[in-house]
Amino acid sequence: IDHDAIADYFNPPHIKPEGAKYLTIDVARKGRDKTIFRVWHGWLCIYREEIAKSGLDEVVGRARVLQVRYGIAPTNTVADEDGVGGGVVDFLRCKGFVNNSAPLEMREGNTFVKPNYDNLKSQCTILMAGMIASRQAGELCDNHAVQQSVTEEMEQVKLRDIDKDGRRGILPKERVKEMIGRSPDEWDSIMMRYWFALRKNYTARVRVG
């Protein structure tokens, strides 16, 4: 994601808030100090919030407040299901995002094909990066510290060498942590937005036989 695309991500008059609203939640885990919520109206992030490292009840309670405030259904809410996030998914009855799970099949014309990504996180990261690079996603944010953190993380969204099976992947989180000195939690709550685009195609699939 180049610098101009990142700048346009935070200056998005070209992105219209339309369609359904979604909530993405990157839940704090051991060694991390905050949970990040992002509310999306279509491909525009219209609200971001973080809460300090806290118990399951507080995360679930805050998510429910945001769901009511913005009219977001549980099925349009996704939370990082790894670790503590599993409890959030259970209590909210929302969708769970498992980083290392298999990528979702993608539509090509009238058929569905198995994509060549190493896992779901790589798939959503690469495709969401493409949305930002092509100026199809944006965020309303006037917090300079948040913009700086997101910028640092977007700059580390890079492909790693294709594996022996021809699958594409991204730099591992541990490597990104070494580069920026912290966990890329902002990006995790951004890239999860693409899951809903994959889900829409997947649930529309008509199975034969």
Side-chain angles (χ1 to χ4, degrees), residues 9 30 36 39 41 53 56 59 74 76 83 96 105 107 115 117-118 123 125 130 163 170 178 180 199 206:
Y9 175 80
K30 184 177 179 181
I36 298 177
V39 175
H41 191 175
K53 190 173 182 179
L56 177 62
V59 174
N76 280 351
E105 291 182 339
R107 184 192 297 273
Y117 303 100
D118 59 1
Q123 182 181 25
T125 290
D163 67 18
I170 56 174
E178 293 176 3
I180 65 176
R199 187 271 305 262
V206 177

Coordinates of all heavy atoms in Angstrom, one line a residue, residues 9 30 36 39 41 53 56 59 74 76 83 96 105 107 115 117-118 123 125 130 163 170 178 180 199 206:
Y9 N -6.8 7.0 2.0 CA -7.6 6.2 2.9 C -8.2 7.1 4.0 O -9.4 6.9 4.5 CB -6.8 5.1 3.5 CG -7.5 4.2 4.6 CD1 -8.4 3.2 4.2 CD2 -7.3 4.4 5.9 CE1 -9.1 2.4 5.1 CE2 -7.9 3.6 6.9 CZ -8.8 2.7 6.5 OH -9.5 1.9 7.4
K30 N -3.4 -12.1 25.5 CA -2.3 -12.0 26.4 C -1.1 -11.2 25.8 O -0.7 -11.5 24.7 CB -1.8 -13.4 26.8 CG -0.7 -13.4 27.9 CD -0.4 -14.9 28.2 CE 0.7 -14.9 29.3 NZ 1.1 -16.3 29.6
I36 N -9.8 -3.2 19.8 CA -10.1 -2.2 18.9 C -11.4 -2.6 18.1 O -11.6 -3.7 17.6 CB -9.0 -2.0 17.9 CG1 -7.7 -1.5 18.6 CG2 -9.4 -1.0 16.8 CD1 -6.5 -1.4 17.7
V39 N -16.5 0.4 13.2 CA -17.8 0.4 12.6 C -17.7 0.8 11.1 O -17.1 1.8 10.8 CB -18.8 1.3 13.3 CG1 -20.1 1.4 12.6 CG2 -18.9 0.9 14.8
H41 N -19.7 1.5 7.4 CA -20.9 1.6 6.6 C -20.5 1.4 5.1 O -19.8 2.3 4.5 CB -21.4 3.0 6.8 CG -22.8 3.2 6.2 ND1 -23.6 4.3 6.3 CD2 -23.6 2.3 5.5 CE1 -24.7 4.2 5.7 NE2 -24.8 3.0 5.2
K53 N -7.0 -3.0 28.0 CA -7.1 -4.4 28.3 C -8.1 -4.6 29.5 O -8.0 -4.0 30.5 CB -5.8 -4.9 28.7 CG -5.7 -6.5 28.9 CD -4.3 -6.9 29.1 CE -4.2 -8.5 29.2 NZ -2.9 -8.9 29.4
L56 N -13.8 -10.0 29.7 CA -14.7 -10.4 28.6 C -16.0 -9.6 28.7 O -16.6 -9.2 27.7 CB -15.0 -11.9 28.8 CG -16.0 -12.5 27.8 CD1 -15.5 -12.4 26.4 CD2 -16.2 -14.0 28.2
V59 N -15.8 -6.1 27.1 CA -15.7 -6.1 25.6 C -17.0 -6.4 25.0 O -17.5 -5.7 24.1 CB -14.6 -7.2 25.2 CG1 -14.6 -7.3 23.7 CG2 -13.2 -6.8 25.7
P74 N -25.9 -9.0 14.8 CA -24.9 -9.9 15.2 C -24.2 -10.6 14.1 O -23.0 -10.8 14.1 CB -25.6 -10.9 16.1 CG -26.7 -10.2 16.7 CD -27.2 -9.3 15.6
N76 N -23.6 -9.4 11.3 CA -22.7 -8.5 10.6 C -21.6 -8.0 11.5 O -21.1 -6.9 11.3 CB -23.5 -7.3 10.1 CG -24.2 -7.6 8.7 OD1 -24.0 -8.6 8.1 ND2 -25.1 -6.7 8.3
G83 N -7.9 -17.2 21.0 CA -7.8 -16.8 22.4 C -9.0 -16.3 23.0 O -10.1 -16.9 22.9
G96 N -17.0 -15.5 13.9 CA -15.6 -15.6 14.4 C -14.6 -15.6 13.3 O -14.9 -16.3 12.2
E105 N -13.5 -20.0 -0.5 CA -13.6 -20.0 -2.0 C -14.1 -18.7 -2.5 O -14.8 -18.0 -1.9 CB -14.5 -21.2 -2.4 CG -14.0 -22.6 -2.1 CD -14.9 -23.6 -2.6 OE1 -16.1 -23.4 -2.8 OE2 -14.5 -24.8 -2.7
R107 N -15.5 -16.4 -6.0 CA -16.3 -16.5 -7.2 C -15.4 -16.0 -8.4 O -14.8 -14.9 -8.4 CB -17.6 -15.6 -7.1 CG -18.5 -15.7 -8.4 CD -19.5 -14.6 -8.3 NE -20.4 -14.7 -7.2 CZ -21.5 -15.5 -7.2 NH1 -21.8 -16.2 -8.3 NH2 -22.3 -15.6 -6.1
P115 N -9.0 -20.5 -3.6 CA -7.9 -19.5 -3.8 C -6.6 -19.9 -3.4 O -6.4 -20.9 -2.6 CB -8.4 -18.3 -2.9 CG -9.2 -19.0 -1.8 CD -9.8 -20.2 -2.5
Y117 N -4.2 -18.8 -1.3 CA -3.7 -18.1 -0.2 C -3.3 -19.1 0.9 O -4.0 -20.2 0.9 CB -4.7 -17.1 0.4 CG -5.1 -16.0 -0.6 CD1 -6.3 -16.1 -1.3 CD2 -4.3 -14.9 -0.9 CE1 -6.7 -15.2 -2.2 CE2 -4.6 -13.9 -1.8 CZ -5.9 -14.1 -2.4 OH -6.2 -13.1 -3.4
D118 N -2.4 -18.8 1.8 CA -2.0 -19.8 2.7 C -3.0 -19.9 3.9 O -3.1 -21.0 4.6 CB -0.6 -19.6 3.3 CG -0.4 -18.3 3.9 OD1 -1.3 -17.5 4.0 OD2 0.8 -18.0 4.3
Q123 N -5.5 -14.0 3.0 CA -6.5 -13.7 1.9 C -7.2 -12.4 2.2 O -7.2 -11.5 1.3 CB -7.6 -14.8 2.0 CG -8.7 -14.7 0.9 CD -9.7 -15.8 1.0 OE1 -9.9 -16.4 2.0 NE2 -10.3 -16.0 -0.1
T125 N -6.1 -9.9 4.1 CA -5.1 -8.8 4.1 C -4.8 -8.4 2.7 O -4.8 -7.2 2.4 CB -3.8 -9.3 4.9 OG1 -4.1 -9.4 6.3 CG2 -2.7 -8.3 4.6
G130 N -5.7 -4.4 -1.5 CA -6.1 -4.1 -2.9 C -7.2 -3.0 -2.9 O -7.2 -2.1 -3.8
D163 N 5.0 -20.0 -1.3 CA 5.4 -21.3 -0.8 C 5.5 -22.4 -1.9 O 5.1 -22.1 -3.0 CB 4.6 -21.8 0.4 CG 3.2 -22.1 0.0 OD1 2.9 -22.3 -1.2 OD2 2.3 -22.2 1.0
I170 N 1.6 -13.5 3.7 CA 2.0 -12.1 4.1 C 3.1 -12.3 5.1 O 3.3 -13.3 5.7 CB 0.9 -11.3 4.6 CG1 0.2 -12.0 5.8 CG2 -0.1 -11.0 3.6 CD1 -0.8 -11.2 6.5
E178 N 8.5 -6.9 15.2 CA 9.9 -6.6 15.2 C 10.2 -5.2 14.5 O 11.0 -4.4 14.9 CB 10.8 -7.6 14.6 CG 10.8 -8.9 15.4 CD 11.6 -10.0 14.7 OE1 12.2 -9.7 13.6 OE2 11.7 -11.2 15.2
I180 N 7.9 -2.7 13.8 CA 7.3 -1.5 14.4 C 7.3 -1.4 15.9 O 6.8 -0.4 16.5 CB 5.8 -1.3 13.8 CG1 4.9 -2.5 14.3 CG2 5.8 -1.3 12.3 CD1 3.5 -2.3 13.9
R199 N -17.8 -13.6 2.6 CA -19.0 -14.3 3.2 C -20.2 -14.1 2.3 O -20.9 -15.1 2.0 CB -19.3 -13.7 4.6 CG -20.4 -14.4 5.4 CD -21.8 -13.9 5.1 NE -21.9 -12.5 5.4 CZ -22.3 -11.9 6.5 NH1 -22.6 -12.7 7.5 NH2 -22.5 -10.6 6.6
V206 N -24.7 -21.7 -4.8 CA -25.7 -22.7 -5.0 C -25.0 -24.0 -5.1 O -24.3 -24.2 -6.1 CB -26.7 -22.4 -6.2 CG1 -27.7 -23.6 -6.3 CG2 -27.4 -21.1 -6.0

